[in-house]
Amino acid sequence: MASNFQEVVLTSSPDGPITGYDSLSGVISSEFTGSRSPRNGLCVVGKKLVAVSHVSAETGLGSVHLYNWYCKTPFHNLAVPEPVAPLAATGDGLFLFVGGLSGQIHTLSLPSGDLVQSFPAHRNAVSCLEINDDESLVLSGSDDGTITVIPLYNLVSSSKRRKRDTILCRFVGHQGSVTSIYCGFGGGNYCTIMSSSLDGTCKIWSLMHGTHIRSIKFPGPMLSVLMDSTESEFYAAGVDGVIYKGALKASSRQAVEEARKIVPLKQKHYGPVVSIQMLSGGHNLATASEDGNVWVWDIQSGEVVRILGHEMKIISSLVVAKVYHDAESRVVTMKYTGGGGGFSTKELQRPIGVVELKQRLNVAVQDRVRSVTNLESAFGIYENLLKLVVKQAKGGKESDSSDNDDEGQDEDETENV
């Protein structure tokens, strides 16, 4: 059965609706109400849902709203331990990570919203969250200028670990709040990381070596950065409204200095640029500014080819979602390919009610929980066997002194692991 997808540009606001625009026509394709979202407080959950951080105007308390594509109002209000802003979700839509003001990353199981665990990743508020392409790592930035890299398994497992055993790597270098993180391809320890900061810099980091590679200085505070699909160029933007383009790779030694030049694109936003996203398989760029404008750029020419939204309310976040259309039924659906109780395109030819949606997703959650439990059991058996081997190798002497490390010692250890 033939089907095609539509790219939808979703924008959120601290005092307005979440609005979805067709990236090709610029027409409003969806709108969700009832949320006041802070910066980075918007993400697509799996292939079907949208999560939005919400701050109550009356109480100032935080929560997370879940939307599906059939209803303008949230079908679920997830309680969180504290006010939160940045969000990131796994591709199967079963886990949502939220960053709190206390510096903790809270893991929520979906769609129930149950709290799996809360991990103290930073000393100050979590300002941005990112999951790498193979979903093995969660990266978080903070107002304290640090970036923490944590294996995703450590955040979805209910097992208690010491802080030093949970964190894979910590990067220290920014002198201001980290505003965005972009993780390149390669997965695991092989990806390159870029970050932007209010200190007016974008930095490149090597996860394999746990080191800083390069710093790029800009005229003012930076709010967003990303690499192109080949990781040969990057785009960055900030409070001055300018979109900057720079090279990450040079073909020869002679081209190194030329590659280090940062070139501003031809047109300039009238307000701070809060987000940059790729469209059309890397052929277009979408940028959103605080003044309420979303521009679509042609990457090859560096010119604006389309404007989405005209002087609407303030924009706090922008994400891109792929909405799948069934040509026969003409019902707009989000393709969900998760295991255990997942939806097929054929099943979604008819609208699905909230109750039925919850029932089907609950099956997926139960399967995921069983898988995690089995994996934890396997790790426990492996650890016990390893201890026996070490004990035999040392002639029956076993040192457990490392287990007595306290939290203070964990905080004082080398930042780059």
Side-chain angles (χ1 to χ4, degrees):
M1 183 178 295
S3 64
N4 63 331
F5 67 83
Q6 166 196 22
E7 278 190 317
V8 175
V9 177
L10 283 172
T11 62
S12 63
S13 172
D15 55 3
I18 296 99
T19 308
Y21 300 90
D22 182 286
S23 64
L24 296 178
S25 67
V27 175
I28 294 177
S29 60
S30 55
E31 191 172 71
F32 308 104
T33 60
S35 291
R36 294 164 45 88
S37 174
R39 181 160 146 65
N40 291 328
L42 174 68
C43 79
V44 177
V45 180
K47 301 295 192 297
K48 189 169 176 60
L49 305 177
V50 175
V52 185
S53 295
H54 171 67
V55 179
S56 171
E58 292 76 21
T59 65
L61 298 177
S63 61
V64 177
H65 288 169
L66 280 185
Y67 296 84
N68 62 42
W69 294 89
Y70 309 113
C71 186
K72 289 187 176 182
T73 56
F75 75 88
H76 204 343
N77 183 35
L78 309 181
V80 289
E82 60 176 325
V84 299
L87 304 176
T90 55
D92 56 15
L94 297 182
F95 292 101
L96 178 69
F97 304 101
V98 298
L101 291 178
S102 67
Q104 295 191 87
I105 299 175
H106 307 287
T107 304
L108 304 180
S109 175
L110 297 180
S112 66
D114 294 338
L115 181 66
V116 178
Q117 68 160 292
S118 297
F119 178 74
H122 301 275
R123 293 186 176 92
N124 294 341
V126 180
S127 53
C128 53
L129 286 170
E130 180 74 11
I131 298 177
N132 72 327
D133 65 319
D134 69 355
E135 298 197 348
S136 62
L137 303 172
V138 176
L139 300 91
S140 62
S142 172
D143 285 347
D144 61 19
T146 64
I147 298 170
T148 298
V149 183
I150 305 172
L152 187 143
Y153 173 77
N154 289 346
L155 292 179
V156 301
S157 170
S158 57
S159 300
K160 298 296 182 181
R161 291 178 176 81
R162 294 174 303 168
K163 188 174 182 180
R164 63 187 299 174
D165 294 333
T166 301
I167 295 175
L168 175 66
C169 182
R170 192 192 299 276
F171 296 111
V172 179
H174 284 297
Q175 301 304 309
S177 175
V178 180
T179 52
S180 73
I181 301 172
Y182 186 86
C183 194
F185 296 103
N189 293 332
Y190 299 98
C191 55
T192 300
I193 299 167
M194 284 199 74
S195 59
S196 62
S197 172
L198 293 182
D199 64 9
T201 66
C202 288
K203 293 183 181 292
I204 305 174
W205 313 86
S206 169
L207 183 57
M208 177 183 291
H209 300 100
T211 57
H212 169 252
I213 299 176
R214 177 186 171 192
S215 290
I216 304 104
K217 182 66 178 176
F218 294 89
M222 303 305 288
L223 298 175
S224 186
V225 67
L226 89 164
M227 304 179 212
D228 68 0
S229 57
T230 63
E231 297 186 18
S232 59
E233 295 177 330
F234 72 90
Y235 296 87
V239 298
D240 61 3
V242 178
I243 311 299
Y244 297 93
K245 178 181 179 180
L248 292 171
K249 298 177 182 178
S251 58
S252 64
R253 290 185 178 180
Q254 291 79 8
V256 171
E257 290 302 319
E258 189 68 24
R260 286 185 176 272
K261 293 182 179 179
I262 308 300
V263 180
L265 298 189
K266 298 177 182 179
Q267 292 173 261
K268 173 184 175 181
H269 278 281
Y270 296 108
V273 178
V274 298
S275 184
I276 308 175
Q277 297 289 333
M278 283 290 178
L279 288 171
S280 309
H283 296 290
N284 296 107
L285 201 68
T287 59
S289 64
E290 275 189 3
D291 62 6
N293 283 297
V294 179
W295 292 356
V296 177
W297 305 70
D298 177 73
I299 286 183
Q300 188 171 2
S301 66
E303 296 181 346
V304 176
V305 296
R306 200 170 301 109
I307 295 178
L308 315 179
H310 302 274
E311 300 299 332
M312 57 184 178
K313 294 185 177 181
I314 296 174
I315 295 176
S316 57
S317 304
L318 178 149
V319 298
V320 176
K322 289 183 178 180
V323 182
Y324 286 76
H325 296 265
D326 187 289
E328 186 173 302
S329 65
R330 297 184 180 179
V331 175
V332 178
T333 67
M334 289 297 287
K335 186 177 181 182
Y336 176 70
T337 56
F343 303 107
S344 69
T345 306
K346 185 175 181 180
E347 287 174 320
L348 286 172
Q349 291 177 10
R350 58 183 177 82
I352 297 177
V354 173
V355 174
E356 185 180 354
L357 178 66
K358 288 183 178 180
Q359 289 174 346
R360 294 193 179 192
L361 286 178
N362 278 335
V363 175
V365 171
Q366 291 169 6
D367 287 348
R368 183 62 176 262
V369 171
R370 283 194 294 268
S371 298
V372 171
T373 301
N374 291 337
L375 190 57
E376 288 178 350
S377 177
F379 271 109
I381 294 172
Y382 176 77
E383 288 175 359
N384 290 335
L385 290 174
L386 190 59
K387 287 180 180 179
L388 290 175
V389 172
V390 172
K391 185 175 181 180
Q392 291 177 354
K394 292 183 177 181
K397 296 180 179 180
E398 185 175 358
S399 174
D400 294 324
S401 59
S402 61
D403 291 336
N404 296 322
D405 292 345
D406 56 24
E407 182 69 18
Q409 289 174 315
D410 290 340
E411 291 290 345
D412 294 335
E413 66 182 344
T414 302
E415 297 287 7
N416 289 331
V417 180

